[in-house]
């Protein structure tokens, strides 16, 4: 993900420890799982550092960079930004969908959050800070993305 000013990148990353051939033509990749997490770097890839101790599911940065939304425990959570890092201790659950909530998409003016329900029933919308959700997309709709004026959503559909 790009920072709103285009100066930083945020990404899930597990550093590679080594690659070796276990037998001719079969290669094994070993990762440094202890260094798994959310990382940031400059737009050119330099100054890389870990800013969260685990990778985050489907991370989505709010357009103003104030919050990072992500999946955890079949729900969507958000953590506030603090300069170029995130305050994990202040994480708050945004959705409470009994079927689970996945693939968050934050509107550009950040007052709405679209997500995919876990039972395949489609797309729902709630406030960017949580609350009652409303079903707006048919079964099979998934991976919603807000149009820049917040007047429409693009999505993928199965059939």
């Amino acid at each position: 993900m790009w920072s709103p000013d285009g100066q930083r990148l945020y990404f899930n990353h597990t550093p590679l420890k080594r690659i070796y051939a276990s037998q001719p033509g079969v290669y094994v990749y070993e990762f440094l799982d202890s260094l798994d997490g959310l990382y940031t770097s400059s737009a050119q890839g330099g100054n890389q550092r870990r800013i969260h101790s685990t990778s985050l599911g489907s991370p989505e940065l709010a357009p103003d960079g104030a919050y990072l939304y992500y999946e955890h425990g079949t729900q969507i959570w958000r953590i506030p930004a603090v300069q170029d890092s995130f305050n994990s201790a202040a994480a708050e659950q945004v959705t409470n969908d009994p079927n689970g909530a996945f693939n968050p998409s934050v509107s550009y003016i950040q007052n709405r959050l679209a997500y995919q329900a876990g039972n395949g029933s489609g797309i729902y919308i709630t406030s960017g800070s949580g609350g009652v959700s409303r079903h707006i997309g048919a079964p099979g709709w998934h991976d919603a993305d807000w149009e820049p004026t917040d007047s429409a959503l693009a999505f993928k559909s199965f059939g």
Side-chain angles (χ1 to χ4, degrees), residues 5 7 24 48-49 54 56 66 79 104 111-112 114 136-137 144 149 154:
D5 64 7
Q7 299 299 308
Q48 182 176 313
R49 65 185 177 88
T54 60
L56 300 174
I79 51 179
N111 64 342
R112 295 181 288 176
I136 59 110
T149 65

Side-chain angles (χ1 to χ4, degrees), residues 7 13 19 37 52 55 71 75 92 100 102 113 118 131 143:
Q7 299 299 308
H13 177 59
I19 304 171
H52 192 271
S55 292
E71 299 171 5
Q75 296 300 326
E92 58 186 355
F102 305 92
L113 172 74
D143 295 325

Side-chain angles (χ1 to χ4, degrees), residues 107-118:
S107 68
Y108 283 77
I109 57 174
Q110 299 162 58
N111 64 342
R112 295 181 288 176
L113 172 74
Y115 67 90
Q116 176 183 332

Side-chain angles (χ1 to χ4, degrees), residues 26-149:
V26 177
Y27 296 93
V28 176
Y29 294 77
E30 284 186 11
F31 294 92
L32 293 169
D33 294 332
S34 64
L35 296 178
D36 173 62
L38 183 71
Y39 283 73
T40 186
S41 74
S42 69
Q44 297 75 30
N47 302 317
Q48 182 176 313
R49 65 185 177 88
R50 186 166 74 159
I51 59 173
H52 192 271
S53 61
T54 60
S55 292
L56 300 174
S58 299
E60 166 91 0
L61 187 62
D64 70 354
Y67 288 95
L68 179 71
Y69 290 78
Y70 62 97
E71 299 171 5
H72 175 71
T74 72
Q75 296 300 326
I76 296 171
W77 293 68
R78 71 180 187 171
I79 51 179
V82 178
Q83 295 176 350
D84 68 343
S85 194
F86 296 97
N87 181 2
S88 300
E92 58 186 355
Q93 186 174 337
V94 178
T95 62
N96 192 21
D97 194 304
N99 299 306
F102 305 92
N103 299 321
S105 180
V106 185
S107 68
Y108 283 77
I109 57 174
Q110 299 162 58
N111 64 342
R112 295 181 288 176
L113 172 74
Y115 67 90
Q116 176 183 332
N119 63 358
S121 65
I123 297 172
Y124 289 74
I125 293 179
T126 188
S127 163
S129 59
V132 177
S133 61
R134 181 171 50 103
H135 184 238
I136 59 110
W141 289 17
H142 61 99
D143 295 325
D145 190 29
W146 288 97
E147 189 261 340
T149 65

